[in-house]
Structure formats: structure tokens, C-alpha cells
Amino acid sequence: MASDFRNVSGDDRMDTPVSSGRDSIELRSIGLNAAAPEAVYSSNNWQSGVPRTASASTSAYSFTQRLASIFSASSQSTSLPNAPENISEAPPLSRSGGSTPFSPERTGRYSLESTATTKELTEWTVQGGGQRVDYEDLSAIDWIHEYQKERQRELVYQQQQGFWGKLLLIGDSTQLWLILIATGISVGVIAAAIDIVSNWLGDIKLGYCKSSFYLSQAFCCWGVDEKDVCDDWVSWGNALHATGAGIYIVSYLFYIIFGVLFGTSASLLVLLFAPYASQSGIPEIKTVLGGFIIRGFMGFWTLLTKALGLCLASGSGLWLGKEGPLVHVACCCANLATHVSSTLRHNEARKREIFSAAAAAGITVAFGAPIGGVVFSLEQVSYYFPDKTMWQSFVCAMVASVSIQLLNPFRTGKLVLFQVVSNRPFHKFELGPFFLLGIMGGIFGGLFIKLNMKIARWRTRSRILGYPLLEVVLLSLVTSILNFPDPFSRLQNNVLVFRLFQECNGNPTVLCNPDYFGGTVVLLTLVCIIGFFFTAYTFGTSIPSGVLMPSMAIGACYGRIIGIAMEVWQKNHPDFFLFDTCLPDVACINPGVYAIVGAASALGGTTRLTVSLVVIMFELTGALTYVLPIMIAVMVSKWVGDAFEKRGIYESWIQFHDYPYLDNREEPIADITVAEIMTSLDELVVLTASEHTVASLEQILETQNYKGFPVVADGRQAILIGYISRSELRYALHQAREIGLGGDALCYLGGSVPSGDEAAQCVDLRQWVDQTPITLSHRSSLQLAVSMFQKLGLRYLLLTMRGQLQGLITKKDICAKYTVQ
């Protein structure tokens, strides 16, 4: 199902009509079609990324070497110029060949010639993989090429001699840790600012601080007992000197006005400055970490808009959370931090390792759970997570935790507002209610995902799609009208969770007063109903929004209801056999524990988190006592939720947007061969080695939307000799036009290139061809192909038989197969 912002582009083959035989656009003489698709993806968001410039090693290399020609005047030329890092900064073409200080000893091996130039930081060249230009937007990265490029860069550093060489090596290894530290600090500072501002905006809807207008209600009434009246805090009804019912009416109106104003402002910021800042961003982050390019998704304006929008959206009273979007904020900080390092900025694979560490920092500042953040990054968002990435995530999360601890935005010495510590043990008979809470969490999560997806699909067909701002205005209005009458829904979600988690300890609040248990249960039930429907609708609108905190609030509500019911039962029937272990004159049931377990079950049912969720909840409570109840609730909620829908909320949105994300977890695969789902040879459009001109290749690029083309020796036997990406082909042809070659100039993608006078009117494209693409027999099992895509991060796989091209399968084909299953 296409998303509401989906591009015109469709699937891998872009729905472009294909033909066979003599109907080919270009290669009529060989009876083959003209393009083989690498995955072409549709999306409604774009990833960050400032256009890449020359790397540190590139800048150290002499400028004359960067001007090496991609045209060769001699068929014996074996040296290839370096791959440009950016299309705009790639070396210009010439008709004469050039050489580099690198010459391959044999395929896949590299050696440095003894030249003065190579004593500096030099570029590297990959003969087999061909030269590359920058990745296009909405395309997949080549993991193998990126790590191969990194190995070559490290080889250059390691071969530096003397003190200066050692210093360069130390500096190269240090910059990664400096970026991680800078990311952790920036995330902690931004999260603290968001917490302070959003809490003040949430309280300003109800009143203001008479002594200091900029203080929230908690800080204005600091030190005042909850049961006492705070003289410094003035409600809007009292501020306008209303009396009787007028106080309630005036306060109601101000609550609605501020709620609509904040919600509208947040949506307006997103629509005007950064559409990528809407929603939580975690589905897109998972896709980006899987190797997809979405430009602008982690840029500066996205970061600024997301941070300001989160403050306004959280203060508006809408049923959303800021915890999930903080992961997006953290990744934006990491992306901006990598810009100071040309080495990291130019390697998409290493950048994704840093993004994984940043995601851990985002969860750390959201829940005050550093270890939980690391495990969350491993379990939920990261696609490739080696041991070194875990260590990097640990450092980044630790720095973010220290930063927000030092800033202490809540003045409680705790990392989050709703962090509680309780050591009262639970009784064995309570395992039954905890099991029940797990079932309720799974049912809640399954129904929530189904309802949210139905609303998302309805939104794409509804007229409201063209009026996203009006949708948020109406949503804010209705939410404010329904939230205010209920004293629990009137609170911000994090404050509500904090109160539901607390023990009573004789505190005469509404939650703890036995005379009001019936009314409390009714009010909490209304909060569950309102929160369920409004969260399902809000998550998907054009506003920064997360689903973690609303899910926790709803789960804490029904958990507290079960806890109150158990408490009333035990007090009214203390002699019941289940309560034999309860001590006299000591509170036997702690409803706050049920709220914690209920919050974990709801969050588990929505996101299908397991280990990371248990760790996060453990760090929140600060007591090992409740790990077993939380584990039971999370386990049962996942089982029950999987019975409704195998995918969690984030995976469901990935499927909804049709993102090219292939989960690296083990999944059952049909026992079929790749030939049954591949794009076969007679459906492909391929390029021959030497039968094209500049004009004919330009025509293919204009009429075909594919992002890559297999290269074969000739059209009779279709012997595979390589693969050329659309980006490299387009750049090379553009440069050919720049140096004055006409459309009739012959292009060579393989074989021998003419020498002498004929070389002046030909274009050597061999160096842009990947001569070592990953291939597989078309008779291989689909399971093997899926494993190669998962483990190697492939974009495409060429299928052959005895060297002859048989077909092609892309990452999108694999994703489509998963979707069908």
C-alpha cells in the first residue's frame, strides 16, 4: 500500500513497459531488452546527507592525480583513475588515458608503487569494483564497496612511516570517539531542553506561576506538599477573577485554545520547513540503517524542526510521545557531527555504525536507561551490529546519560521524570494477574496496530490527505475537548505515568483514596479508551509524534485498574487462601507494580520488544525485584500480539511505506529456486560491451528509470562481464559531452578499446563497470539468496549459468516475497 506521501516511482522496475526480442528500445540487433533493474524504491521521506566532498586522504593526494582521465587511448592501459566521491567533484574526462600510483598485482590485491606521491595520504582504486560516484537519493548503498574502500583507506594510513605517520594513525582512530562523545553531549543537552520546554508548555494550558512566569507548575510549587494549596500557581480562571462555574469554563477554554495553538504550530513547522520531521522517524531509521539513502532525513533543518515540534506537540496535549522521536533527534546529531570528519562523511557503512550508537543515546535520554538504550539499538533499529558497534553504542549512551544527569532538568537527581524506586517484593499469587496483564498488552498491541494501519490507509484515500494542517487543527480541538474533563487525561503522558507508578504510602491522593476507588477505575478506563483511539489516529499525522509513551500510559492505566481490583479484593477478603502469605497491618498489594507491569505489556504488544524492554523497565524502577513479572508480561504480550500480527508498529509502517527493508532475522522461506521469482533474461534490458554510442546510451537513460544495467559480451551468448550503475553511466556520458564528443562516439564497456586516431572518438567506460558483481546460479534455493542479501547487504544479485546471464533478482524482489508470505 502506498503511503500518503509516496513518490510517483513504483517498484523495482518502475512499472516501465518491457518488451522482448526486436521490440527492444536499444539492442534490437541482439534481441535483448535495454535495462536490468537494480532496486528502485519508493518512499515518502528522504535521508540526510550533505553532498560528499573529497576525503582526508583524497585532499592530501595531488590535484593532478584527481584529473586522471576515464578515456583510454590504448587498449593495454591497466591503471584506472580513482572513483570520485561526489558527482560534482569527480575528475573531468579526457580523450587520453592516465595512470595512478596504484597498480594491482592481481585481482583483488593492491600495491603501492615507490613514488614520492604515495608517501602522502593517497587515494585508492578498486579495479574489480569499478569507479563510483555519489549515491543517488532513494537508492541502496553498496556495503561491500564501502567496507572495501575503508580497508584501502586504512592500508594507506598504516603504510605511513615515522612519527608523522603514527600521529596520523592516532588522529584517524580518535576522531570516531570524538564524534561519539559530541553526539552524546548534544543529545543530552537537546533532550533536557525539550523536557523543560514541553513541561512548561503543558502546564501553561492550566495556569501560570505568579512569582516566575517561566516556571512550570512542578518548579513553581517546589517543596509544597501535594495535598496543600500552592499559592504561587494561579489557574486561568482565577487569574481572570472568574467565580463559581466560571472558573471551570475559563480554564476549559484556555486549555482548548493553547492545545490547538501548540498542535497547529508544530504541524506548521513540519509542513513549512522539514516534512521529514513528522511522526517518530524510527521506521525510516531502520530502513536507513539497512542501507537505504534518504537525503534530508537527518539534516540540520530536520533536527531543528523536530526539536521545536516535539516541544509544541508534547505541550499540546495530543496523545503522542517524544521518546521515539528522540531517536531520530539523536541520529540527526550524529549525522551533523560526521560532517567534521571527511573520513566518516564519505563512508556510508561507517556512518550507519555511528547512527546505531546514536539511536542508543536517544533511548538513553528518553527513558534514563543507558544499558536499555544499547540493547534497544541492537534489538530494534540496527541492521548490522558488530561488537565494535556495541562498544561505540555503550560509550555514546554513557556520555548522553552523564550529560542529562549533570543538567538535571527535573531537579530530582533522576534521569527521567517518572523514574521510581520500589523494593517491596511481590507474592506468588500475583503471577496470575501479571500473566493476565501480558494477555491484555498483547490484545492492546494487536488491535492498536490494526486500527492504526486502517486509519493510515483511509487517510491516503480520503480528502483529508490534501489538508494535513486542517487535520491536525481538528485533531487538537477534539483531543483538548475530551481530555480536560478527565483529571487523568488532562495530565501530560509522562506525568500520568509517574503518578500511576508511585506507591501510595498513606498519600491521600485520588489514586490512593479507598473511598474513590470506584470513580478512579471509571476515570482510568475512560483514559484507556480515549488514549487508544486518539493515539491510533495521531500516530501518522504531519506532526512529530511517538507511540512509546502513550502506550506506556495506557498500559499503566489498565495495570493500575487491575492493581486496585486486587487491592480491594484482598482488603475485603483477607482470609481468602491466596492471601495467606500477606502480613497483617502491612500493605499486601502495590497497585504501582501492576501499573509498571501493565506499561511493559502494552509497550511490548505495540513494538514487540523483548530483552531491551525488560532492561528499560528494570532501569526505570531501579529494583531487581520486578524483573520476573515484567518478563512474564513481555513474553505473553509478544505471543498474543504475534497471534494478531507478526509485525510490530514500526515494521508495519515500513511495509505501509513500501520501504526496501529486509529484516536480518531468520524468517521461514518458501522452498523454491530463485529462478521462480527472478527477472529473467528475456525481460531484461542489458548493455553489450561495444555496440553502443553516446546517443544510444543517453536514450536508454531517458527512456528507462532503472538504476543499473548488466553488461554482457554480446547478444548471442550473453556472457556476463559486469554491471554498471545508472549514476556512473550518466556521469560518464555527461563528461563525454563536456569535452566535446558527439552522440556518434562509440562507447566501450568491455573488451579492447581502439588505439591511435580512433581512440579520440571513443569513450572508455570499462573503468566504471563493476567487473566482479556478486553472482549466483539461477538454480540455487531462494533461502541461499535471502541469506546473501541479509549477510552481505546486497542491492542486487545477478543469476548465471556457466557464465551466461540468466536473470536478476533485487532486494525489492526479496522484500516483496516476504510481504506475500
Side-chain angles (χ1 to χ4, degrees), residues 379-696:
E379 180 181 358
Q380 180 62 244
V381 299
S382 296
Y383 185 85
Y384 178 63
F385 203 89
D387 291 341
K388 65 176 181 178
T389 305
M390 179 173 292
W391 170 232
Q392 294 164 6
S393 301
F394 177 83
V395 171
C396 194
M398 181 271 296
V399 173
S401 179
V402 171
S403 299
I404 200 169
Q405 182 79 51
L406 294 176
L407 292 172
N408 195 14
F410 306 111
R411 296 297 184 267
T412 60
K414 299 177 180 179
L415 296 180
V416 290
L417 178 62
F418 48 90
Q419 188 176 32
V420 296
V421 177
S422 178
N423 296 315
R424 186 189 302 179
F426 66 93
H427 301 275
K428 294 181 180 180
F429 69 84
E430 294 182 283
L431 293 178
F434 295 151
F435 190 90
L436 174 62
L437 288 176
I439 296 176
M440 296 175 65
I443 295 174
F444 162 77
L447 295 178
F448 176 84
I449 294 173
K450 286 186 175 296
L451 178 60
N452 182 247
M453 290 293 100
K454 287 185 177 180
I455 293 175
R457 286 188 287 267
W458 167 82
R459 187 178 285 117
T460 61
R461 302 188 300 267
S462 174
R463 292 184 179 180
I464 200 67
L465 177 63
Y467 305 95
L469 182 61
L470 178 61
E471 181 183 22
V472 174
V473 172
L474 296 177
L475 179 63
S476 301
L477 177 62
V478 177
T479 302
S480 299
I481 291 174
L482 295 180
N483 276 350
F484 187 83
D486 193 324
F488 294 117
S489 62
R490 188 187 308 172
L491 300 173
Q492 297 186 73
N493 286 332
N494 57 349
V495 179
L496 175 62
V497 170
F498 169 73
R499 295 191 178 182
L500 293 173
F501 281 5
Q502 299 301 309
E503 297 184 25
C504 288
N505 294 327
N507 194 0
T509 60
V510 176
L511 285 173
C512 299
N513 193 335
D515 297 333
Y516 295 99
F517 277 169
T520 300
V521 170
V522 172
L523 293 176
L524 291 178
T525 302
L526 290 176
V527 172
C528 292
I529 297 174
I530 293 174
F532 175 78
F533 288 101
F534 277 91
T535 303
Y537 192 95
T538 304
F539 190 70
T541 55
S542 300
I543 193 171
S545 59
V547 74
L548 300 182
M549 185 52 62
S551 298
M552 289 185 64
I554 296 171
C557 284
Y558 66 68
R560 189 83 184 201
I561 292 173
I562 298 297
I564 291 174
M566 290 294 297
E567 184 180 17
V568 172
W569 185 18
Q570 190 273 331
K571 287 184 177 180
N572 293 335
H573 303 86
D575 298 330
F576 191 70
F577 74 94
L578 289 179
F579 307 132
D580 291 341
T581 57
C582 295
L583 299 177
D585 301 327
V586 176
C588 182
I589 305 296
N590 182 6
V593 174
Y594 288 78
I596 294 172
V597 176
S601 69
L603 198 53
T606 304
T607 63
R608 308 301 159 80
L609 293 173
T610 54
V611 180
S612 60
L613 177 56
V614 173
V615 175
I616 289 173
M617 298 304 297
F618 162 67
E619 292 185 274
L620 283 179
T621 59
L624 188 62
T625 309
Y626 306 125
V627 169
L628 180 58
I630 293 173
M631 291 180 66
I632 292 175
V634 170
M635 175 190 68
V636 175
S637 67
K638 178 172 174 56
W639 284 345
V640 176
D642 287 344
F644 284 87
E645 173 63 50
K646 289 292 184 181
R647 300 180 181 87
I649 184 65
Y650 300 130
E651 291 76 19
S652 297
W653 275 93
I654 288 175
Q655 180 191 7
F656 174 76
H657 287 307
D658 202 18
Y659 291 145
Y661 178 77
L662 184 61
D663 201 333
N664 57 3
R665 299 179 179 89
E666 292 295 331
E667 296 283 351
I669 300 297
D671 187 18
I672 60 176
T673 62
V674 291
E676 298 184 43
I677 66 171
M678 72 177 184
T679 303
S680 60
L681 179 62
D682 56 356
E683 296 176 323
L684 293 177
V685 179
V686 301
L687 305 180
T688 54
S690 59
E691 299 181 8
H692 287 281
T693 63
V694 171
S696 66

Side-chain angles (χ1 to χ4, degrees), residues 5-252:
F5 294 106
R6 180 168 174 170
N7 293 342
V8 177
S9 59
D11 60 2
D12 301 345
R13 289 167 290 281
M14 302 290 292
D15 294 328
T16 304
V18 294
S19 56
S20 59
R22 291 178 295 277
D23 295 330
S24 168
I25 293 178
E26 169 57 28
L27 306 180
R28 295 189 178 93
S29 61
I30 64 174
L32 296 175
N33 279 351
E38 182 211 328
V40 177
Y41 309 109
S42 67
S43 169
N44 69 330
N45 289 293
W46 302 265
Q47 178 202 356
S48 68
V50 174
R52 295 186 288 181
T53 56
S55 64
S57 57
T58 303
S59 59
Y61 192 47
S62 64
F63 179 72
T64 56
Q65 294 295 333
R66 285 179 56 81
L67 299 181
S69 167
I70 71 161
F71 288 86
S72 175
S74 172
S75 60
Q76 283 76 28
S77 176
T78 59
S79 296
L80 299 177
N82 267 332
E85 292 295 340
N86 191 354
I87 295 177
S88 61
E89 298 191 5
L93 304 182
S94 64
R95 293 182 177 85
S96 60
S99 62
T100 68
F102 293 89
S103 62
E105 295 176 349
R106 57 185 182 269
T107 303
R109 301 283 296 181
Y110 307 90
S111 65
L112 291 173
E113 294 180 356
S114 179
T115 64
T117 307
T118 59
K119 294 181 181 180
E120 303 176 2
L121 296 180
T122 56
E123 294 181 307
W124 57 90
T125 183
V126 181
Q127 171 124 351
Q131 299 186 66
R132 303 293 177 91
V133 295
D134 201 9
Y135 294 108
E136 292 184 342
D137 190 18
L138 306 180
S139 63
I141 70 171
D142 189 337
W143 290 87
I144 297 177
H145 170 74
E146 294 298 320
Y147 279 113
Q148 186 180 39
K149 185 170 66 174
E150 177 63 15
R151 286 193 297 270
Q152 295 301 316
R153 189 193 65 81
E154 291 176 349
L155 176 64
V156 172
Y157 274 99
Q158 292 171 2
Q159 295 198 0
Q160 304 302 312
Q161 301 298 323
F163 174 77
W164 180 247
K166 297 297 183 182
L167 190 62
L168 288 176
L169 187 61
I170 294 174
D172 179 63
S173 60
T174 302
Q175 59 182 328
L176 169 65
W177 302 106
L178 294 177
I179 288 177
L180 292 174
I181 292 173
T183 299
I185 295 175
S186 59
V187 172
V189 172
I190 293 175
I194 291 175
D195 286 332
I196 294 173
V197 175
S198 61
N199 288 334
W200 179 78
L201 291 176
D203 290 340
I204 203 68
K205 298 183 301 179
L206 302 173
Y208 68 96
C209 186
K210 184 169 55 176
S211 58
S212 301
F213 184 79
Y214 57 87
L215 293 179
S216 64
Q217 185 175 5
F219 287 115
C220 182
C221 303
W222 193 263
V224 179
D225 194 85
E226 188 176 356
K227 63 178 179 293
D228 298 330
V229 177
C230 179
D231 295 330
D232 286 338
W233 184 259
V234 181
S235 67
W236 291 112
N238 292 327
L240 296 181
H241 306 290
T243 59
I247 298 178
Y248 183 87
I249 296 174
V250 172
S251 300
Y252 201 167

